[in-house]
Amino acid sequence: MAQQVLADVPLRQFLEEPLIDPETDEVSRLILQSHSRDAFAPIASVNVGEFREWLLSEGATPEVLAAVRSGVTPEMAAGVSKIMRNQDLIAVARRCHNVARFRNTIGLPGHLSTRLQPNHPTDDARGIAASIVDGLLYGSGDAVIGINPATDNLDNVYALLGLVDEIRERYEIPAQSCVLAHVTTTMALIRRGAPVDLVFQSIAGTEAANRSFGIDLGMLGEAREMALALGRGTLGENVMYFETGQGSALSADAHHGVDAQTCEARAYAVARAFSPLLINTVVGFIGPEYLYDGKQIIRAGLEDLFCGKLLGLPMGCDVCYTNHAEADQNDMDNLLTLLAVAGCAYIMGVPGADDVMLAYQSTSFHDALYLREVLGLRPAPEFEAWLNRMGIFDGKNALAGPRLATPLLGTVRRLAEDRAQ
């Protein structure tokens, strides 16, 4: 019954009656101010149900979807997703092609990238370096080599940035690095001359929720300008990396009575304003208090990918769950495969799929190899060329063998030990 009522709501109503008052919420103001009336014109007269039919029609080609995306608000995207089956979400998301560039190209159709996530519970340089080598030898890291630091200490984060950047430069890896510290930490390190490629920040869909993270839109804009001024990208200027997750606004008591999924979609409007290279939902990370079991995590992941791609983002997903959720790795295999079919831009690559620092279950380096094999997907073109040149891949999108492991590990170990000292 709720779906039937929602299907009859005109899309114009989301513009005329904002769910969260723009006078008190800067995200609402951003959504309304950035809305394109011209792009909205082709769908301005339809309701949510008719919007679903339009999205699923043969006329909604990738070009048409690209032309309309700046006329779609997050509330429209979230609303229509609620009356779509899983296959509907996949079918439409697959036709949304959103591309971003820094040192390589993310989001091309037929490609799947990975974030190499070499976290360590004590930020030990040798442990992190070993995980980086492990990931590179499995063809992981084209989205980003991204470390969640155990501490936001400036000197610690500076050292991690230097380690990853030295590895990247030593082997001329066409990828980007990031230490996922708070945006204010990264800004301070840019002022100190640290080798910052991407600026990371967790974001949410309301001003109050973002304030609970210690950020606002002005701060994100300032950080982006600082990163752009460094001029470190070789192919493009997409310098931001955002993470989101259903439930964050509710956790902060900053949801204004709006459901978790709609708040999540509103976070994508924040991301869209800053032209990110990467954005991903950490879909099952908050825990069963929000997404109870594997079925709910799968549904949420597909909703998030659909909404993000419809709004024009190079959307990725951390396919994950916490150990106290009613989910297991088979659930993640299902979601992983569905997301790849739907054109997910990237997934995580975690050693053994078990993050020993953040204590949650994600996806492994092997998972990306599985998807690339069964679905014929490829890494970012520039990164794939490097993998072939280094002899890691065999020129046919498959691993060539472990012959590089010993010399690569030896060199990286020496770099890590120098950093540790």
Side-chain angles (χ1 to χ4, degrees):
M1 291 178 63
Q3 287 179 315
Q4 290 176 341
V5 171
L6 177 58
D8 290 333
V9 175
L11 292 188
R12 286 186 179 277
Q13 190 168 336
F14 293 109
L15 298 171
E16 296 166 354
E17 302 175 22
L19 293 180
I20 301 175
D21 188 351
E23 292 188 4
T24 59
D25 184 90
E26 67 174 355
V27 176
S28 292
R29 291 196 296 274
L30 171 68
I31 290 168
L32 294 176
Q33 291 167 2
S34 60
H35 181 257
S36 169
R37 295 281 178 177
D38 291 339
F40 182 58
I43 55 174
S45 62
V46 305
N47 60 29
V48 172
E50 292 164 336
F51 187 35
R52 172 185 175 273
E53 297 301 319
W54 182 85
L55 288 169
L56 292 169
S57 70
E58 292 183 0
T61 63
E63 295 76 19
V64 169
L65 290 171
V68 80
R69 63 191 177 200
S70 59
V72 178
T73 69
E75 293 84 356
M76 295 174 194
V80 74
S81 75
K82 295 177 189 297
I83 63 169
M84 298 175 82
R85 294 171 56 188
N86 286 3
Q87 69 171 251
D88 298 341
L89 298 172
I90 293 168
V92 177
R94 186 175 177 84
R95 283 188 260 136
C96 298
H97 302 159
N98 308 315
V99 177
R101 294 178 174 88
F102 188 74
R103 288 199 188 94
N104 57 31
T105 307
I106 305 297
L108 289 169
H111 292 258
L112 175 75
S113 296
T114 58
R115 169 187 160 190
L116 202 173
Q117 185 170 311
N119 295 346
H120 191 280
T122 63
D123 285 340
D124 180 79
R126 288 164 295 185
I128 288 171
S131 294
I132 291 174
V133 171
D134 192 20
L136 291 174
L137 291 174
Y138 281 107
S140 182
D142 48 340
V144 65
I145 301 174
I147 306 167
N148 293 96
T151 170
D152 232 22
N153 174 273
L154 283 175
D155 290 337
N156 177 63
V157 176
Y158 193 104
L160 293 177
L161 285 167
L163 170 63
V164 182
D165 196 57
E166 193 167 353
I167 294 171
R168 182 191 61 79
E169 287 194 332
R170 176 71 64 94
Y171 292 99
E172 298 179 330
I173 306 172
Q176 36 283 329
S177 65
C178 184
V179 176
L180 283 68
H182 191 270
V183 62
T184 53
T185 300
T186 304
M187 292 166 73
L189 289 171
I190 290 175
R191 297 185 185 101
R192 284 178 53 172
V196 172
D197 287 344
L198 305 182
V199 175
F200 169 81
Q201 183 55 46
S202 294
I203 57 173
T206 71
E207 178 179 346
N210 283 325
R211 196 161 52 238
S212 76
F213 291 156
I215 63 168
D216 58 30
L217 301 183
M219 183 184 294
L220 295 178
E222 181 183 356
R224 179 173 181 266
E225 291 303 314
M226 292 176 68
L228 286 171
L230 297 177
R232 292 175 59 85
T234 55
L235 292 183
E237 296 185 332
N238 299 112
V239 296
M240 303 299 285
Y241 176 15
F242 297 120
E243 284 192 338
T244 66
Q246 289 193 25
S248 58
L250 181 58
S251 293
D253 193 24
H255 56 100
H256 301 271
V258 176
D259 68 277
Q261 190 222 339
T262 302
C263 286
E264 171 74 2
R266 284 168 56 91
Y268 305 154
V270 175
R272 183 167 64 174
F274 299 101
S275 303
L277 178 76
L278 306 171
I279 172 172
N280 64 261
T281 167
V282 191
V283 68
F285 184 75
I286 298 182
E289 299 85 358
Y290 298 98
L291 299 172
Y292 176 70
D293 58 13
K295 184 175 182 179
Q296 290 189 8
I297 294 172
I298 289 170
R299 175 66 188 187
L302 293 175
E303 290 170 345
D304 292 352
L305 184 73
F306 164 81
C307 290
K309 293 194 72 179
L310 185 61
L311 292 169
L313 293 169
M315 195 73 192
C317 184
D318 189 343
V319 182
C320 64
Y321 64 102
T322 56
N323 291 321
H324 63 310
E326 293 294 322
D328 60 29
Q329 211 64 35
N330 285 327
D331 295 313
M332 298 306 103
D333 285 350
N334 293 341
L335 177 55
L336 177 75
T337 305
L338 294 172
L339 289 171
V341 171
C344 185
Y346 68 100
I347 60 171
M348 305 299 119
V350 179
D354 184 1
D355 193 303
V356 294
M357 195 276 279
L358 293 174
Y360 78 117
Q361 309 304 309
S362 185
T363 47
S364 72
F365 306 134
H366 303 77
D367 290 325
L369 294 177
Y370 147 72
L371 290 175
R372 289 169 179 168
E373 178 183 354
V374 300
L375 296 176
L377 301 172
R378 310 181 78 91
E382 303 82 2
F383 191 74
E384 182 180 12
W386 178 82
L387 292 171
N388 291 326
R389 187 167 66 250
M390 292 290 291
I392 297 172
F393 274 19
D394 63 0
K396 300 177 183 178
N397 200 33
L399 291 178
R403 64 181 184 272
L404 277 178
T406 300
L408 185 60
L409 183 57
T411 302
V412 173
R413 181 186 291 120
R414 287 192 293 274
L415 292 175
E417 288 174 347
D418 290 344
R419 288 280 169 182
Q421 291 170 3

